[in-house]
PDB file of all heavy atoms in Angstrom:
ATOM      1  N   ASP A 573     123.829 129.832 213.923  1.00 94.00           N
ATOM      2  CA  ASP A 573     122.851 130.071 214.986  1.00 94.00           C
ATOM      3  C   ASP A 573     123.195 129.195 216.194  1.00 94.00           C
ATOM      4  O   ASP A 573     123.278 127.972 216.088  1.00 94.00           O
ATOM      5  CB  ASP A 573     121.453 129.727 214.484  1.00 94.00           C
ATOM      6  CG  ASP A 573     120.373 130.111 215.479  1.00 94.00           C
ATOM      7  OD1 ASP A 573     120.592 131.067 216.247  1.00 94.00           O
ATOM      8  OD2 ASP A 573     119.314 129.442 215.490  1.00 94.00           O
ATOM      9  N   GLY A 574     123.432 129.847 217.355  1.00 94.00           N
ATOM     10  CA  GLY A 574     123.787 129.106 218.560  1.00 94.00           C
ATOM     11  C   GLY A 574     125.274 129.054 218.830  1.00 94.00           C
ATOM     12  O   GLY A 574     125.705 128.425 219.802  1.00 94.00           O
ATOM     13  N   VAL A 575     126.081 129.709 218.001  1.00 96.00           N
ATOM     14  CA  VAL A 575     127.537 129.763 218.197  1.00 96.00           C
ATOM     15  C   VAL A 575     127.955 131.231 218.237  1.00 96.00           C
ATOM     16  O   VAL A 575     127.549 132.019 217.383  1.00 96.00           O
ATOM     17  CB  VAL A 575     128.300 129.035 217.072  1.00 96.00           C
ATOM     18  CG1 VAL A 575     129.806 129.173 217.260  1.00 96.00           C
ATOM     19  CG2 VAL A 575     127.900 127.570 217.019  1.00 96.00           C
ATOM     20  N   THR A 576     128.726 131.602 219.232  1.00 96.00           N
ATOM     21  CA  THR A 576     129.272 132.962 219.328  1.00 96.00           C
ATOM     22  C   THR A 576     130.769 132.890 219.561  1.00 96.00           C
ATOM     23  O   THR A 576     131.251 132.019 220.295  1.00 96.00           O
ATOM     24  CB  THR A 576     128.620 133.751 220.481  1.00 96.00           C
ATOM     25  OG1 THR A 576     128.808 133.044 221.709  1.00 96.00           O
ATOM     26  CG2 THR A 576     127.147 133.958 220.239  1.00 96.00           C
ATOM     27  N   CYS A 577     131.491 133.803 218.929  1.00 96.00           N
ATOM     28  CA  CYS A 577     132.944 133.760 219.009  1.00 96.00           C
ATOM     29  C   CYS A 577     133.515 135.171 219.078  1.00 96.00           C
ATOM     30  O   CYS A 577     133.189 136.022 218.228  1.00 96.00           O
ATOM     31  CB  CYS A 577     133.529 133.024 217.798  1.00 96.00           C
ATOM     32  SG  CYS A 577     135.305 132.721 217.893  1.00 96.00           S
ATOM     33  N   GLN A 578     134.345 135.417 220.080  1.00 95.00           N
ATOM     34  CA  GLN A 578     135.044 136.698 220.191  1.00 95.00           C
ATOM     35  C   GLN A 578     136.098 136.800 219.081  1.00 95.00           C
ATOM     36  O   GLN A 578     136.591 135.790 218.579  1.00 95.00           O
ATOM     37  CB  GLN A 578     135.717 136.809 221.554  1.00 95.00           C
ATOM     38  CG  GLN A 578     134.752 136.962 222.713  1.00 95.00           C
ATOM     39  CD  GLN A 578     134.045 138.309 222.711  1.00 95.00           C
ATOM     40  OE1 GLN A 578     134.624 139.325 222.336  1.00 95.00           O
ATOM     41  NE2 GLN A 578     132.782 138.313 223.124  1.00 95.00           N
ATOM     42  N   PRO A 579     136.464 138.009 218.675  1.00 94.00           N
ATOM     43  CA  PRO A 579     137.494 138.171 217.637  1.00 94.00           C
ATOM     44  C   PRO A 579     138.813 137.493 218.009  1.00 94.00           C
ATOM     45  O   PRO A 579     139.216 137.512 219.176  1.00 94.00           O
ATOM     46  CB  PRO A 579     137.663 139.687 217.551  1.00 94.00           C
ATOM     47  CG  PRO A 579     136.382 140.253 218.059  1.00 94.00           C
ATOM     48  CD  PRO A 579     135.918 139.308 219.128  1.00 94.00           C
ATOM     49  N   ALA A 580     139.438 136.889 217.020  1.00 95.00           N
ATOM     50  CA  ALA A 580     140.775 136.320 217.208  1.00 95.00           C
ATOM     51  C   ALA A 580     141.782 137.436 216.929  1.00 95.00           C
ATOM     52  O   ALA A 580     142.285 137.582 215.826  1.00 95.00           O
ATOM     53  CB  ALA A 580     141.003 135.135 216.272  1.00 95.00           C
ATOM     54  N   GLU A 581     142.060 138.232 217.951  1.00 95.00           N
ATOM     55  CA  GLU A 581     142.951 139.387 217.782  1.00 95.00           C
ATOM     56  C   GLU A 581     144.386 138.946 217.538  1.00 95.00           C
ATOM     57  O   GLU A 581     145.163 139.652 216.888  1.00 95.00           O
ATOM     58  CB  GLU A 581     142.897 140.263 219.027  1.00 95.00           C
ATOM     59  CG  GLU A 581     141.534 140.860 219.305  1.00 95.00           C
ATOM     60  CD  GLU A 581     141.496 141.638 220.610  1.00 95.00           C
ATOM     61  OE1 GLU A 581     142.344 141.383 221.488  1.00 95.00           O
ATOM     62  OE2 GLU A 581     140.610 142.502 220.756  1.00 95.00           O
ATOM     63  N   GLY A 582     144.740 137.795 218.086  1.00 95.00           N
ATOM     64  CA  GLY A 582     146.110 137.306 217.956  1.00 95.00           C
ATOM     65  C   GLY A 582     146.169 135.808 218.141  1.00 95.00           C
ATOM     66  O   GLY A 582     145.143 135.121 218.145  1.00 95.00           O
ATOM     67  N   ALA A 583     147.386 135.284 218.259  1.00 94.00           N
ATOM     68  CA  ALA A 583     147.653 133.851 218.405  1.00 94.00           C
ATOM     69  C   ALA A 583     147.190 133.089 217.160  1.00 94.00           C
ATOM     70  O   ALA A 583     147.272 133.611 216.049  1.00 94.00           O
ATOM     71  CB  ALA A 583     147.045 133.301 219.690  1.00 94.00           C
ATOM     72  N   MET A 584     146.655 131.869 217.341  1.00 93.00           N
ATOM     73  CA  MET A 584     146.336 131.017 216.188  1.00 93.00           C
ATOM     74  C   MET A 584     145.012 130.293 216.336  1.00 93.00           C
ATOM     75  O   MET A 584     144.767 129.292 215.667  1.00 93.00           O
ATOM     76  CB  MET A 584     147.452 129.973 215.997  1.00 93.00           C
ATOM     77  CG  MET A 584     148.816 130.561 215.719  1.00 93.00           C
ATOM     78  SD  MET A 584     150.099 129.285 215.663  1.00 93.00           S
ATOM     79  CE  MET A 584     151.526 130.292 215.189  1.00 93.00           C
TER      80      MET A 584
END
Side-chain angles (χ1 to χ4, degrees):
D573 187 28
V575 177
T576 57
C577 188
Q578 290 291 325
E581 297 176 338
M584 299 175 176

